[in-house]
Amino acid sequence: MINDKKIIFSGIQPSGNLTIGNYLGALKNFSEYIDNYKCFYCIVDEHAITVRQVPADLRRRSYEMMALYMACGLDPTNENVTLYVQSHVPAHAELAWILNCFTGFGELSRMTQFKDKSAKHADNINAGLFTYPALMAADILLYQTDIVPVGIDQKQHVELTRDIANRFNQLYPDTFTIPEPVMKKTGAKIMSLADPTKKMSKSDENQNAVVYILDDKDTIIRKFKRAVTDSDTCVRVAEGKDGINNLISIYSCFTGKTDEEIEREFEGRGYGDFKLAVGEACADALAPVQAEFKRIMSDKAQLEQFMKNGADEAAYYARKTLSKVRRKLGFVQI
Ligand code: ATP
Ligand code: LTN
């Protein structure tokens, strides 16, 4: 607890431009907690280098993500909100090393994200990609986090974090709070528009598969128009209609309408009409975020100051946990 409030932690990698998957699965939900929890939202650049990054792009995207966090309603001047960049707080890397020593090779080998990413980057299956979940566990456990809002793909990593924390607590009692993952019913797994059996991912090379938060209205509508569906014409949720199910989820997230309301709204109308409506709803919902983003990005000095304040505050709490861990392990304190 910090100031009598439970603690939230989540992170997003600056590994590409953010998609509506990141927005609906994670970012949009982050602001729901800020009144009642102490929230740490991190830009996890150390995770991003588990695959090769162009330095200038990584740097630019880290600023942009900070601005997007703010544009999505996370106000760094609110005392419940801490926004910062992972590499600015060295305690993450330090605790990650320690937790590596409490994480099994077998456990890491079972991680779906490791299997997917090592298939995708077969020329660079580095040790960091493999031990990625230990760094993620460090992110979460450093702040004595209660709740971790994520998309479904990260549930397995949060469960491993719980296992690591329980194992550590058994050997060294009362060290870590055991965190809980939370996911939304709708929006926790937005699928690719080009292949709706695959998750929409910001590092997808096919630009038509992905709608970015910062895409303009025409681009958004064009991408939805091209979205892969099926040969049926009826807008309804059904097994096997992955493309339409995905578009219904997206429309539902942006409009707040239920599946039944959507099916009624588009009764007797074809996929063309529906795709246009999804595109418009998405573009309209993103327009204010885009405008805020532009405004925030125009003052880089201010953005940097917020980054620095966030890092200082995060480092304060992180150091407390880290020194407890070091003491419990038997490291000499000087
Ligand atoms: P990459 O392509 O680099 O792996 P990513 O798009 O999968 O990136 P992350 O940075 O790994 O994005 O994820 C940030 C947050 O967004 C996580 O909470 C993750 O669960 C969520 N998220 C990512 N993709 C989706 C998606 N398609 N649907 C819902 N949530 C998602
Ligand atoms: N692994 C996550 C990003 C991430 C994260 C975290 C999410 C790193 N550390 C801590 C929640 C909590 C991902 O790839 N989406």
Side-chain angles (χ1 to χ4, degrees):
M1 300 281 246
I2 295 176
N3 300 333
D4 286 334
K5 293 204 156 71
K6 285 197 171 181
I7 297 163
I8 301 266
F9 184 97
S10 198
I12 304 184
Q13 305 182 63
S15 52
N17 296 324
L18 293 196
T19 72
I20 57 166
N22 301 127
Y23 180 71
L24 298 175
L27 201 42
K28 177 169 173 272
N29 312 320
F30 288 177
S31 60
E32 285 173 17
Y33 300 98
I34 59 181
D35 291 333
N36 301 315
Y37 293 85
K38 171 70 195 169
C39 304
F40 294 90
Y41 295 125
C42 187
I43 296 158
V44 290
D45 54 348
E46 288 168 336
H47 277 102
I49 62 161
T50 54
V51 306
R52 291 283 171 262
Q53 302 291 338
V54 175
D57 291 347
L58 183 65
R59 194 172 303 118
R60 175 182 50 79
R61 283 197 231 103
S62 300
Y63 281 107
E64 287 178 355
M65 270 196 53
M66 181 79 186
L68 264 179
Y69 273 171
M70 290 168 59
C72 289
L74 305 174
D75 172 8
T77 64
N78 176 334
E79 64 170 7
N80 289 343
V81 178
T82 304
L83 309 180
Y84 70 104
V85 177
Q86 187 182 35
S87 64
H88 293 167
V89 181
H92 288 251
E94 195 174 341
L95 183 62
W97 170 255
I98 294 169
L99 296 182
N100 261 317
C101 304
F102 294 83
T103 308
F105 182 89
E107 287 176 315
L108 292 171
S109 313
R110 285 192 288 277
M111 293 296 116
T112 317
Q113 182 171 307
F114 172 68
K115 290 188 216 162
D116 290 350
K117 294 230 162 155
S118 46
K120 205 163 144 199
H121 303 276
D123 54 338
N124 180 24
I125 307 177
N126 60 71
L129 193 64
F130 187 62
T131 63
Y132 177 114
L135 177 58
M136 178 157 162
D139 298 341
I140 297 169
L141 299 178
L142 266 179
Y143 300 93
Q144 306 293 351
T145 301
D146 297 284
I147 291 169
V148 187
V150 280
I152 282 177
D153 61 316
Q154 294 303 312
K155 187 166 173 248
Q156 195 185 31
H157 286 160
V158 182
E159 277 161 3
L160 177 58
T161 299
R162 289 165 61 87
D163 292 343
I164 296 170
N166 277 318
R167 184 173 304 144
F168 199 96
N169 281 352
Q170 256 172 13
L171 293 161
Y172 310 98
D174 304 322
T175 307
F176 296 124
T177 301
I178 309 299
E180 196 88 53
V182 291
M183 280 142 299
K184 286 275 161 185
K185 261 207 217 93
T186 316
K189 193 169 188 189
I190 300 299
M191 310 308 278
S192 150
L193 298 188
D195 176 358
T197 60
K198 257 180 42 190
K199 159 182 116 110
M200 185 181 285
S201 166
K202 64 171 120 69
S203 51
D204 199 317
E205 272 134 37
N206 180 355
Q207 299 286 308
N208 288 321
V210 178
V211 175
Y212 299 104
I213 300 181
L214 298 176
D215 275 346
D216 62 42
K217 185 163 187 171
D218 289 348
T219 309
I220 294 177
I221 289 178
R222 177 171 47 78
K223 286 179 175 177
F224 277 111
K225 269 193 188 153
R226 286 202 192 155
V228 170
T229 45
D230 53 65
S231 55
D232 192 9
T233 52
C234 181
V235 177
R236 70 189 147 83
V237 179
E239 196 147 333
K241 286 164 63 95
D242 297 321
I244 281 295
N245 293 345
N246 187 38
L247 294 182
I248 291 176
S249 302
I250 294 172
Y251 190 63
S252 165
C253 288
F254 281 121
T255 60
K257 294 177 184 167
T258 64
D259 291 355
E260 295 70 36
E261 285 167 341
I262 297 168
E263 288 173 353
R264 236 176 294 129
E265 183 179 350
F266 291 93
E267 215 176 294
R269 294 161 69 185
Y271 283 177
D273 268 11
F274 179 53
K275 286 178 171 180
L276 182 63
V278 182
E280 281 181 340
C282 172
D284 292 348
L286 293 178
V289 174
Q290 295 178 351
E292 248 321 81
F293 172 80
K294 228 168 143 186
R295 189 187 65 74
I296 297 163
M297 280 301 280
S298 68
D299 190 349
K300 200 131 172 238
Q302 166 93 294
L303 194 61
E304 235 163 50
Q305 189 57 50
F306 285 140
M307 257 186 194
K308 186 164 180 330
N309 297 349
D312 287 346
E313 203 195 350
Y316 168 81
Y317 291 106
R319 262 199 305 269
K320 283 216 246 187
T321 301
L322 189 61
S323 54
K324 173 156 100 171
V325 168
R326 294 166 61 88
R327 208 173 340 106
K328 292 206 179 229
L329 284 168
F331 289 173
V332 173
Q333 312 277 303
I334 47 167

